[in-house]
Amino acid sequence: MRLLERMRKEWFMVGIVLAIAGAKLKPSVGVHGGPLKPEITVSYIAVATIFFNSGLSLKTEELTSALVHIKLHLFIQIFTLVFFPAAIWLFLQLLSITSINEWLLKGLQTVGCMPPPVSSAVILTKAVGGNEGIVITPLLLLLFLGSSSTVPFTSIFSQLFMTVVVPLIIGQIVRRYIKDWLERKKPPFGAISSSVLLMIIYTTFCDTFSNPHIDLDKFSLVLILFIIVSIQLSFMLLTFIFSTRNNSGFTPADTVAIIFCSTHKSLTLGIPMLKIVFAGHEHLSLISVPLLIYHPAQILLGSVLVPTIKSWMVSRQKGVKLTRPPV
């Protein structure tokens, strides 16, 4: 019974496994030109649906208040979209001499280029990931992996504009007219986007399993898993050290936001964006694997560390109150 409850709670993780397994069993259904017509249903309709849904759920009024914390916003922005991808690139220069699958390593670089989750429960994360990520992420992907992308630069941005920016704006416009209904009914935005995302993952792996020339060795996969967990723990520790220095100016609550917002990466934005930037690439699914691993890893690490981080924050906040001179 407990197992069923756990599976119900983590249905998206189970869905990823089933989507990949389904693609392995019947890849012909979701391949390019197959019955599902992913070149239309996924590349345009599914991606646009995810971002229209994000536009509907994005509370602009809360974004505005979040942006008041400009120093916090700037720290997360620089760490996520400058330091993170640059550090991963330097690390990959060392890993390139190993026997790890080169496409998994390229996938690791794409993880570094991704913004934080658009649909995160942390409002500041939305502010960081919802706007700049749409423009900067493809630029970073082209900077670090430009030679891997066969799609013209202008084509990438025109498709990003039509399938990401336009639906997001339309969603925000529609939200203004049905805001009260949305607040009252609270539609399951997260579940809708996740369901559509499973379809994108399924069709991506259908293309892989229908290609007999692609082979993934288990040794590379295990190493990538270990590397991803190590990167997350190292960067969480690094952001903690930076944000708790005496002259940092950040509160304990700010530190908690920094730890999670700076190190989390968006699967919802990442997979559709990889689908656009690497459209038609035979190794797209291998490039996607590190991001698919990173997502559950960040949730698992977060759930393990939250009690410890919360108790630290509470004790620090109490300490600040005790040291504050009486008025």
Side-chain angles (χ1 to χ4, degrees), residues 229-245:
V229 173
S230 301
I231 287 171
Q232 287 192 33
L233 286 171
S234 300
F235 282 7
M236 289 175 89
L237 179 62
L238 192 61
T239 53
F240 177 80
I241 293 168
F242 273 130
S243 59
T244 53
R245 290 178 304 163

Side-chain angles (χ1 to χ4, degrees), residues 101-111 114 141 145 148-149 204-205 208 214 216 224 228 270-271 273-275 277-279 281-293:
N101 186 291
E102 66 168 311
W103 297 105
L104 288 179
L105 292 180
K106 289 181 187 294
L108 206 55
Q109 183 66 70
T110 68
V111 170
M114 293 298 156
L141 288 172
L145 301 164
S148 304
S149 179
T204 300
F205 278 86
T208 299
I214 293 179
L216 176 60
I224 287 293
I228 284 172
I271 293 295
M273 196 165 287
L274 289 180
K275 195 84 175 173
V277 175
F278 296 97
H281 201 290
E282 65 173 347
H283 293 99
L284 172 60
S285 60
L286 294 186
I287 295 171
S288 307
V289 165
L291 186 57
L292 290 171
I293 294 173

Side-chain angles (χ1 to χ4, degrees), residues 80-276:
T80 307
L81 297 172
V82 179
F83 177 81
F84 204 125
I88 294 293
W89 182 82
L90 287 171
F91 183 47
L92 291 181
Q93 302 313 300
L94 296 174
L95 291 180
S96 63
I97 61 174
T98 67
S99 60
I100 300 175
N101 186 291
E102 66 168 311
W103 297 105
L104 288 179
L105 292 180
K106 289 181 187 294
L108 206 55
Q109 183 66 70
T110 68
V111 170
C113 297
M114 293 298 156
V118 178
S119 59
S120 170
V122 184
I123 297 303
L124 187 65
T125 302
K126 287 185 178 180
V128 177
N131 302 313
E132 293 86 344
I134 292 168
V135 177
I136 294 178
T137 295
L139 284 174
L140 290 172
L141 288 172
L142 291 168
L143 173 65
F144 291 110
L145 301 164
S147 59
S148 304
S149 179
T150 55
V151 182
F153 185 82
T154 51
S155 176
I156 290 170
F157 276 90
S158 62
Q159 190 171 345
L160 279 172
F161 183 77
M162 292 306 297
T163 59
V164 176
V165 179
V166 171
L168 200 65
I169 292 171
I170 293 172
Q172 279 284 279
I173 293 169
V174 173
R175 179 182 170 80
R176 293 182 65 181
Y177 292 99
I178 60 170
K179 182 182 172 183
D180 292 337
W181 181 85
L182 291 171
E183 294 293 332
R184 192 169 61 253
K185 295 293 184 180
K186 300 190 185 304
F189 293 115
I192 294 168
S193 291
S194 295
S195 300
V196 177
L197 195 58
L198 288 176
M199 179 185 172
I200 297 174
I201 293 168
Y202 169 72
T203 56
T204 300
F205 278 86
C206 280
D207 284 331
T208 299
F209 293 128
S210 63
N211 188 338
H213 304 297
I214 293 179
D215 182 42
L216 176 60
D217 61 289
K218 292 181 177 66
F219 175 71
S220 292
L221 202 57
V222 171
L223 276 180
I224 287 293
L225 175 60
F226 174 76
I227 290 166
I228 284 172
V229 173
S230 301
I231 287 171
Q232 287 192 33
L233 286 171
S234 300
F235 282 7
M236 289 175 89
L237 179 62
L238 192 61
T239 53
F240 177 80
I241 293 168
F242 273 130
S243 59
T244 53
R245 290 178 304 163
N246 291 331
N247 59 346
S248 70
F250 293 122
T251 66
D254 290 339
T255 296
V256 174
I258 286 169
I259 289 170
F260 290 113
C261 293
S262 299
T263 58
H264 278 207
K265 295 294 182 177
S266 174
L267 185 67
T268 307
L269 180 61
I271 293 295
M273 196 165 287
L274 289 180
K275 195 84 175 173
I276 293 169

